[in-house]
Amino acid sequence: MTAYLVTILILASISAIVALGLNIQWGVAGLVNFGVVGFYSVGAYATAIVALGGGGAWGGLLAGVLASAVLSALIALLTVRLTDDYLAIVALGLAEVVRLVLLNEAWLTGGPLGISGIPRPFAGLVTEANYPVLLLGMILLALAATLLFAEALVRSPFGRALRAVRDDDTVAAALGKDALSLRIKAFAAGGAIIGLAGALHAFYITYIDPSQFTSIVTAYAFMAVIAGGRGSNIGLIIGAGSIMALLEATRFLKDFIPFLDGTKLAALRLAMIGAGIVLLLIFRPQGAMAEPRLSARASRPEAELKPDRLSERKVLPHAS
Amino acid sequence: MIAQLILNGLVTGAIVALPALALTLTFAILKFPNFAIGAMLTMGAYCGWMLNALFGLSLPAATALAAGAMAIVAVAVDKLVFTHLRDREGLTLLVASMGVAFVLENVCRFAFGNDARNLDIAVARPIRWHGLRVNHEQVITGGAVVACLLVLFVIVRFTPLGRAMRAVADNPSLAAARGIERNVVVAVAWCLVGILCALAGTLIALDRAIDPLMGWNYQINVFAAAILGGLGSLFGAVIGALVIGVVEELSTLVIPTNYRQAIAFAMIVILLLLRPQGLFGKVAIRK
């Protein structure tokens, strides 16, 4: 039972870190990243490859974070000519390409078989059986550090500038903010955090293959960010935690409903996440907790309830 | 050899043209990219397969019924989801459409599992024509797509409904001021989306097996086609789809076939860097 609880806590914490990363990109900066799983797998694979290639666990961790951050910055750079709407499809496409590379470049990634025997940090300190508890401690520390970083970022001048760019980039540009550079920084910072989560995934499982990295990672992250409230980090942790608990609970459905097999259960979970995303967007777009704001707007409740209206704009080519 | 590849590319491109049209149509009228397009394709294919392989209907009948069913699904999705989000920003709708995609795809997976399914059709010998090998499926696909494009063209170009659709796409408030019922136009557009997706899904199923990820695998190509054509331009979407189909086939001459799916992504990236408005789109205006 303890082992099961540790597993759940580890998985929930890793999901929460992914969601914190997405929250910087989407929640704060308004950049929709449908390719979360791509960056997550890049983080995990870079960690595994460098760790096994002589970099050790810590070298691997650093490589995972950096690889995901650099890739994120490059992708965000593509929006130099057009707006964020296109970023969604580019990120989705990138995740597909990453999947193709993982499957086909066997010399680097092990192909469909993946990579096993990934070294873990501090592995010599405790026995193999007790290691998950130590790892949970480290992951919780990483989660706390990420949370502090994200909170500091949201409340910093940089965070305010990001929100300004998100809500109206023309006004932000008129006030001297470099929208492109802000977007790239935000996307890279979020990407680094998602890469960190990927690295932790590699340390926990110690064996990675492409089948572990499916769109459910992306779905989880979006659900957690929406449930917690876009831009609110504390709300998001609560959101990620409750989703994990809810989804874990569906595991027990198998005992009551005999015709549910693994595939049906997985399908049911993903459908529930999809429905959850839609319902929350319709009925509670502000999430569990609203975004912290310093502006006078906070005193006008009607503006807070419909934050989306503020940023409505037409940015794409029109119909001909 | 090259002529054969171009022919194959044109046929696969023709199939992609249908969902690309659906994508560009909703974009023109509702101003958001519908990420559920791939899942709608999958569901359309399953509808066609169910009617054909399980209930024994002929392929044309199964396709027609599937198209009707998907039209209802698409309108229902709009009524249940997108109407409530109509006055929100584009990004909210985009994320919601991804949520819809998860639901539709997994309804199919829940009902039919991950196994690949095949339509109940007779396998026929390919036709030889001037050294080209033409499958019966390719003939059916070509004919069906051309017929579908003609009908769509007539609807959009010459009927009052088409005029209303173009008016709403151009300027919703002006269209409303002229007494055009936006809700009707939107519902009709979703009907067309459902029909196009069901048709494309069944046509893909003619050529390969149906599985829950089938539409997902076409998603990038559909977006690439629509973006290449200039998102919002119906004519452009068709040309974009054909270009991408041909380029993808020809690319197998120089890059490993495993990376075929990466071609559409590469084309999106190149386009965004060089000509973000696409081939036939107008220059974007930032407001």
Side-chain angles (χ1 to χ4, degrees), chain A residues 26 30-32 34 75 77-94 96-97 99-102 104-105 166 168-170 183 215-216 218-219 222 226 230 259-260 263-268 270-275 277-278 281-283 285 306 308-309 311-320, chain B residues 27-28 31 33 35 80-82 84-100 102-103 105-107 109-114 166 169-170 172 213 216-217 219-220 223-224 227 230-234 258-262 265-266 268-269 272-278 280-287:
Chain A
W26 179 43
L31 305 166
V32 176
F34 280 155
I75 287 298
L77 194 60
L78 286 175
T79 60
V80 61
R81 295 284 299 267
L82 263 188
T83 49
D84 351 325
D85 303 43
Y86 283 94
L87 188 63
I89 186 67
V90 171
L92 186 67
L94 179 88
E96 279 299 297
V97 172
R99 197 180 57 85
L100 288 178
V101 172
L102 297 185
N104 294 313
E105 301 304 313
R166 176 192 73 192
D168 194 324
D169 55 357
T170 314
R183 281 202 190 106
S215 51
I216 196 161
T218 309
F222 271 88
I226 298 169
R230 277 175 58 182
F259 67 86
L260 275 180
T263 311
K264 281 201 191 320
L265 200 62
L268 193 66
L270 258 171
M272 274 167 58
I273 296 183
I277 288 175
V278 168
L281 282 175
I282 293 174
F283 294 110
K306 290 184 179 138
D308 285 333
R309 275 173 195 264
S311 51
E312 190 172 11
R313 66 204 159 165
K314 295 195 182 92
V315 280
L316 288 164
H318 275 273
S320 58
Chain B
F27 186 82
K31 310 286 180 244
F35 275 79
L80 288 173
V81 179
F82 298 125
H84 302 287
L85 299 168
R86 204 75 92 208
D87 51 358
R88 304 270 189 80
E89 59 159 347
L91 290 185
T92 305
L93 282 150
L94 188 146
V95 175
S97 73
M98 194 57 132
V100 171
F102 282 125
V103 174
E105 180 190 312
N106 286 288
V107 165
R109 183 173 285 129
F110 188 83
F112 305 111
N114 279 325
R166 279 180 289 144
D170 241 20
L213 283 175
W216 189 257
N217 293 334
Q219 184 110 327
I220 310 287
F223 270 83
I227 294 175
L231 212 47
S233 153
L234 295 181
N258 291 340
Y259 283 102
R260 238 179 81 143
Q261 281 173 297
F265 171 73
I268 296 181
V269 169
L272 289 188
L273 289 175
L274 300 180
R275 198 179 156 80
Q277 71 273 32
F280 303 95
K282 291 176 193 150
V283 179
I285 304 162
R286 283 183 182 229
K287 280 186 190 164

Side-chain angles (χ1 to χ4, degrees), chain A residues 34-109:
Chain A
F34 280 155
V36 168
V37 65
F39 299 101
Y40 185 70
S41 56
V42 163
Y45 270 85
T47 301
I49 291 164
V50 170
L52 284 170
W58 294 108
L61 181 75
L62 192 66
V65 172
L66 280 180
S68 176
V70 170
L71 194 63
S72 303
L74 287 176
I75 287 298
L77 194 60
L78 286 175
T79 60
V80 61
R81 295 284 299 267
L82 263 188
T83 49
D84 351 325
D85 303 43
Y86 283 94
L87 188 63
I89 186 67
V90 171
L92 186 67
L94 179 88
E96 279 299 297
V97 172
V98 166
R99 197 180 57 85
L100 288 178
V101 172
L102 297 185
L103 278 172
N104 294 313
E105 301 304 313
W107 59 274
L108 184 68
T109 63

Side-chain angles (χ1 to χ4, degrees), chain A residues 187-208:
Chain A
F187 210 66
I193 293 173
I194 295 170
L196 169 71
L200 296 172
H201 172 109
F203 289 147
Y204 174 58
I205 315 262
T206 72
Y207 164 75
I208 50 174

Side-chain angles (χ1 to χ4, degrees), chain B residues 52-280:
Chain B
N52 170 251
L54 294 188
F55 299 139
L57 291 184
S58 72
L59 196 61
T63 311
L65 275 181
M70 282 312 292
I72 295 170
V73 169
V75 172
V77 164
D78 180 56
K79 286 274 173 285
L80 288 173
V81 179
F82 298 125
T83 21
H84 302 287
L85 299 168
R86 204 75 92 208
D87 51 358
R88 304 270 189 80
E89 59 159 347
L91 290 185
T92 305
L93 282 150
L94 188 146
V95 175
S97 73
M98 194 57 132
V100 171
F102 282 125
V103 174
L104 295 182
E105 180 190 312
N106 286 288
V107 165
C108 294
R109 183 173 285 129
F110 188 83
F112 305 111
N114 279 325
D115 303 334
R117 313 280 180 166
N118 285 298
L119 289 177
D120 181 19
I121 39 166
V123 182
R125 253 178 192 292
I127 308 160
R128 294 265 167 196
W129 185 72
H130 289 286
L132 287 179
R133 221 167 54 105
V134 188
N135 293 329
H136 282 268
E137 291 84 46
Q138 290 181 315
V139 177
I140 299 173
T141 302
V145 171
V146 169
C148 182
L149 292 183
L150 280 177
V151 171
L152 197 66
F153 177 74
V154 169
I155 293 177
V156 173
R157 194 85 208 138
F158 298 112
T159 63
L161 195 65
R163 209 159 35 236
M165 279 165 79
R166 279 180 289 144
V168 173
D170 241 20
N171 190 334
S173 24
L174 194 59
R178 296 287 296 165
I180 293 173
E181 200 58 66
R182 187 172 184 222
N183 289 335
V184 176
V185 170
V186 168
V188 171
W190 280 110
C191 274
L192 288 174
V193 168
I195 293 168
L196 288 167
C197 284
L199 188 58
T202 328
L203 289 175
I204 292 171
L206 270 181
D207 192 42
R208 57 187 64 193
I210 303 167
D211 67 72
L213 283 175
M214 142 188 174
W216 189 257
N217 293 334
Y218 278 86
Q219 184 110 327
I220 310 287
N221 291 47
V222 173
F223 270 83
I227 294 175
L228 181 63
L231 212 47
S233 153
L234 295 181
F235 174 68
V238 177
I239 302 296
L242 294 177
V243 169
I244 289 191
V246 171
V247 170
E248 210 176 55
E249 281 295 326
L250 288 179
S251 74
T252 54
L253 292 173
V254 282
I255 63 160
T257 41
N258 291 340
Y259 283 102
R260 238 179 81 143
Q261 281 173 297
I263 294 297
F265 171 73
M267 291 190 71
I268 296 181
V269 169
I270 294 168
L271 263 175
L272 289 188
L273 289 175
L274 300 180
R275 198 179 156 80
Q277 71 273 32
L279 297 178
F280 303 95

